[in-house]
């Protein structure tokens, strides 16, 4: 068996990532050797594999759901936004340069189809099944010609497609129908059916609509997944998250000690790896919120300046909003501040950046005796060590190299008073270290907070992944899904008019490509997996 399935969505954030993870966990519990795959990912939340490759954090989470080690093969193309119009392109785990959206979709993207198909075939040769995740919607007709992540990869691999729709947003029937009707006949032949996500209420009230949808499209619905609270699963795209008043989904349990501990996370622009705070939110009595105003730091026991894809831009944003002055006051008063990666760089004395922002030399906040110089080579590592007397592991993803000139050593960074800084993402997932760190924060903040002695973040993550597997097993037609994975899309699925629109010429040279329509997938003869910047 070397079957597979593509999980597409009617929109971004429809639930593709969690459904893919849930299917992986359901399959591995059945004894199937399964791997996740996403040909192209756009995300500021990334992870470093053991071989030192950078991939989307959602794919790392899905690999954990499948109980396999994450690999660059599972996410060969990662786009890390640097703004509204450009992204860093990461190929097979290594950055190869910046590219505008127009340049990427103007022909470079489809040149990568051979590489992503090669990665998928390597996974298929190793695993019993590969569960692919799409991106955005397969009916983005302006991008179909260059698509390598939705119907492009489904066509190349001849994988059946299940389309996920978020009913909590409304309009799910129109979304299912419209998504199908905007695809070409060739693409539609692979769309096997639908999966409703985030349903609240009595399913029997939904069933007449599902029957009508089947009558309109000839395609069945493979399940209705209920709205699940408190999943806390890794987000994919930091640009889409609304930070005003956002609280992580994890339910705040009563404190183990007398007091709660309040954590405020500065919602800096291009925030990356904000999943660093998930382990704090999992602690009983720890309340985590994202903030963007100086007055919101007043009652915080700990302020975190998180990672960012735009360190100099984040520094300017902190100053514009008065948050920089508030952080300086906190440091002077001995109130806890933690900077992680780009946030660590912001807290230093000076930043020399001719790579990311090309701003040259910029003064930092001066809270830590650190000078940062941006290098063209990205540091990708999985360090391990000890801090506060406890073992700790993490991962590093950064261009800035820190020259630490004083303070007390703290991981790869330093500590001065109640201000800590490090490049290590994920360090707070080390349970004993997290408890020791929260103890230090509580003492500095004057709180009678005691970390629970038995909180295991790894165990909580396993419980969450099992919940995703339960959602699939209990609320989806798993027999039908199994047949799709083994046998592919059913033959004779009807065409839903009007189909993909005919190509339309671009109106002006500046307007970018407007004419994808549906074109045959370009040749994808097997290629070497290593791709250079010249290949773009």
């Amino acid at each position: 068996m070397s079957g597979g399935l593509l999980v597409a969505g009617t929109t971004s954030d429809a639930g593709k990532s969690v459904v893919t993870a849930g299917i992986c966990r359901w399959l591995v519990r059945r004894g199937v050797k399964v791997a996740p795959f996403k040909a192209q990912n756009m995300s500021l939340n990334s992870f470093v594999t053991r071989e030192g490759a950078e991939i989307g954090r959602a794919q790392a989470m899905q690999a954990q759901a499948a109980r396999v080690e994450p690999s660059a093969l599972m996410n060969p193309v990662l786009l890390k936004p640097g703004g509204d119009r450009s992204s860093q392109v990461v190929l097979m785990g290594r950055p190869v340069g910046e590219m505008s959206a127009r340049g990427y979709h103007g022909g470079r993207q489809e040149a990568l189809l051979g590489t992503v198909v090669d990665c998928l075939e390597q996974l298929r040769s190793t695993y019993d099944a590969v569960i692919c995740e799409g991106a955005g919607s397969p009916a983005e007709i302006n991008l179909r010609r260059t698509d390598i992540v939705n119907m492009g990869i489904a066509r190349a691999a001849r994988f059946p497609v299940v389309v996920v729709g978020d009913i909590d947003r409304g309009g799910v029937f129109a979304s299912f129908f419209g998504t199908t009707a905007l695809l070409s006949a060739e693409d539609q032949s692979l769309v096997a059916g639908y999966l409703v996500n985030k349903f609240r209420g009595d399913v029997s009230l939904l069933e007449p609509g599902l029957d009508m949808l089947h009558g309109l499209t000839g395609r069945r619905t493979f399940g209705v997944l209920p709205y699940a609270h408190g999943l806390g699963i890794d987000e994919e795209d930091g640009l889409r998250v609304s930070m005003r008043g956002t609280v992580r989904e994890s339910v705040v349990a009563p404190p183990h000690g007398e007091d709660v501990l309040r954590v405020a996370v500065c919602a800096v622009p291009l925030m990356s790896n904000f999943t660093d705070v998930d382990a704090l939110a999992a602690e009983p009595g720890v309340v985590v919120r994202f903030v963007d105003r100086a007055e919101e730091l007043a009652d915080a026991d700990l302020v975190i300046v998180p990672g960012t894809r735009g360190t100099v831009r984040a520094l300017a944003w902190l100053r514009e909003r008065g948050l920089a002055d508030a952080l300086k006051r906190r440091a002077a008063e001995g109130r806890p501040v933690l900077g992680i990666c780009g946030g660590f760089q912001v807290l230093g004395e000076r930043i020399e950046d001719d790579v990311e922002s090309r701003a040259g030399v910029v003064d930092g906040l001066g809270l830590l005796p650190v000078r940062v110089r941006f290098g063209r080579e990205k540091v990708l590592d999985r360090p391990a060590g000890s801090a506060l007397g406890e073992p700790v592991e993490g991962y590093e993803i950064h261009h800035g190299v820190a020259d630490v000139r004083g303070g007390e050593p703290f991981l790869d960074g330093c500590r001065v008073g109640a201000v800590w800084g490090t490049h290590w993402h994920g360090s707070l997932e080390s349970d004993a270290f997290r408890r020791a760190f929260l103890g230090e924060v509580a003492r500095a903040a004057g709180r009678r907070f005691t970390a629970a002695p038995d909180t295991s973040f790894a165990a909580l993550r396993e419980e969450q992944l099992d919940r995703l597997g339960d959602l699939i097993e209990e609320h989806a037609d798993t027999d039908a899904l199994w047949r799709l994975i083994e046998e592919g899309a059913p033959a004779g699925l009807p065409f839903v008019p009007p189909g993909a629109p005919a190509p339309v010429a671009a109106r002006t040279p500046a307007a970018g490509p407007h004419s994808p329509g549906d074109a045959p997938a370009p040749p994808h003869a097997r290629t070497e997996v290593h791709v250079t910047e010249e290949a773009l």
Side-chain angles (χ1 to χ4, degrees):
M1 174 185 176
S2 59
L5 178 73
L6 174 71
V7 178
T10 56
T11 63
S12 295
D13 203 29
K16 297 183 294 291
S17 295
V18 295
V19 168
T20 300
I23 293 175
C24 286
R25 179 51 60 101
W26 159 64
L27 286 172
V28 77
R29 292 196 304 207
R30 289 189 57 170
V32 177
K33 188 178 180 183
V34 59
F37 178 77
K38 186 163 186 173
Q40 172 196 294
N41 197 349
M42 177 174 281
S43 180
L44 288 169
N45 284 332
S46 58
F47 183 75
V48 179
T49 67
R50 292 201 180 279
E51 66 266 26
E54 184 180 9
I55 65 172
R57 190 166 171 101
Q59 279 60 67
M61 176 271 292
Q62 291 162 356
Q64 187 176 352
R67 296 178 179 148
V68 296
E69 191 66 32
S71 160
L73 292 173
M74 299 172 183
N75 180 208
V77 181
L78 173 64
L79 306 177
K80 303 193 72 175
D84 293 336
R85 295 180 178 271
S86 67
S87 293
Q88 182 181 66
V89 181
V90 179
L91 295 175
M92 296 307 301
R94 296 288 173 181
V96 296
E98 297 282 332
M99 185 168 290
S100 69
R102 181 182 177 190
Y104 186 67
H105 290 287
R108 272 74 170 183
Q109 183 185 31
E110 59 186 322
L112 298 174
L113 181 62
T115 298
V116 301
V117 169
D118 189 74
C119 291
L120 177 57
E121 289 305 311
Q122 289 192 47
L123 292 174
R124 294 180 74 178
S125 69
T126 306
Y127 294 90
D128 300 327
V130 180
I131 307 303
C132 304
E133 178 189 344
S137 163
E140 291 169 349
I141 55 179
N142 57 315
L143 303 178
R144 176 61 186 94
R145 179 177 60 82
T146 58
D147 169 47
I148 63 171
V149 64
N150 289 305
M151 301 312 300
I153 195 69
R155 287 266 291 273
R158 302 306 301 170
F159 273 0
V161 178
V162 173
V163 181
V164 177
D166 179 359
I167 197 169
D168 197 52
R169 293 183 174 189
V172 74
F173 294 119
S175 297
F176 283 144
F177 180 84
T179 296
T180 309
L182 282 175
L183 300 178
S184 70
E186 293 84 355
D187 286 349
Q188 286 191 28
S189 69
L190 295 175
V191 176
Y194 314 109
L195 194 64
V196 177
N197 192 30
K198 299 183 184 178
F199 180 73
R200 308 171 192 249
D202 185 347
V203 176
S204 65
L205 298 177
L206 191 65
E207 288 172 350
L210 301 178
D211 292 339
M212 286 185 275
L213 181 67
H214 182 270
L216 287 167
T217 67
R219 289 160 175 82
R220 56 167 302 183
T221 299
F222 291 98
V224 178
L225 308 183
Y227 194 104
H229 294 275
L231 287 176
I233 294 297
D234 294 345
E235 303 275 3
E236 181 170 281
D237 190 345
L239 290 181
R240 278 201 318 275
V241 177
S242 173
M243 294 303 165
R244 281 295 306 137
T246 294
V247 178
R248 299 298 290 166
E249 282 191 81
S250 301
V251 176
V252 178
H256 184 73
E258 296 180 51
D259 282 349
V260 298
L261 209 60
R262 296 172 177 83
V263 179
V265 184
C266 296
V268 296
L270 300 176
M271 182 167 55
S272 61
N273 288 70
F274 57 84
T275 48
D276 282 335
V277 304
D278 284 355
L280 295 180
E283 281 285 350
V286 176
V287 182
V288 177
R289 68 183 188 273
F290 291 86
V291 303
D292 59 9
R293 297 186 304 200
E295 56 267 31
E296 293 176 297
L297 305 188
D299 66 343
D301 302 306
L302 168 66
V303 174
I304 295 179
V305 186
T308 172
R309 246 289 267 151
T311 300
V312 171
R313 178 176 170 182
L315 180 58
W317 181 87
L318 291 169
R319 286 178 167 138
E320 288 166 3
R321 291 177 171 261
L323 288 159
D325 289 337
L327 289 169
K328 290 178 181 179
R329 287 194 296 270
R330 287 187 66 89
E333 295 165 0
R335 303 176 67 197
V337 176
L338 170 64
I340 302 175
C341 200
F344 166 40
Q345 298 166 7
V346 162
L347 300 182
E349 297 171 346
R350 190 179 74 181
I351 299 167
E352 185 179 343
D353 181 10
D354 294 319
V355 176
E356 189 176 78
S357 68
R358 297 180 176 86
V361 177
V362 178
D363 289 336
L365 298 186
L367 305 186
L368 292 174
V370 176
R371 296 186 178 185
V372 175
R373 186 177 185 276
F374 274 65
R376 297 198 176 277
E377 293 297 318
K378 181 182 285 190
V379 176
L380 297 170
D381 198 13
R382 290 277 293 270
S386 63
L388 305 179
E390 301 293 349
V392 57
E393 297 180 355
Y395 57 98
E396 294 184 68
I397 306 170
H398 54 93
H399 283 278
V401 178
D403 176 14
V404 179
R405 300 187 169 199
E408 178 184 342
F410 177 71
L411 302 177
D412 69 331
C414 64
R415 171 188 181 179
V416 174
V419 179
W420 294 265
T422 177
H423 275 130
W424 290 23
H425 294 291
S427 63
L428 295 169
E429 295 179 17
S430 298
D431 297 326
F433 166 73
R434 182 180 64 254
R435 287 191 280 270
F437 177 72
L438 289 176
E440 291 276 321
V441 169
R443 282 188 288 276
R447 294 287 185 185
R448 293 189 296 273
F449 169 87
T450 303
D454 55 353
T455 301
S456 167
F457 184 75
L460 289 172
R461 176 50 55 91
E462 277 297 302
E463 290 175 12
Q464 291 166 333
L465 294 173
D466 274 332
R467 288 181 63 195
L468 295 182
D470 292 343
L471 285 174
I472 298 298
E473 195 162 339
E474 296 170 9
H475 300 282
D477 186 340
T478 53
D479 289 340
L481 289 177
W482 180 254
R483 285 193 297 273
L484 286 179
I485 293 168
E486 278 196 309
E487 303 170 9
L493 291 168
F495 173 71
V496 180
V504 177
R507 295 177 184 175
T508 66
H514 288 271
S515 56
D518 180 71
H524 54 269
R526 291 178 66 85
T527 64
E528 292 296 322
V529 172
H530 176 70
V531 180
T532 65
E533 186 171 1
E534 287 74 20
L536 291 175

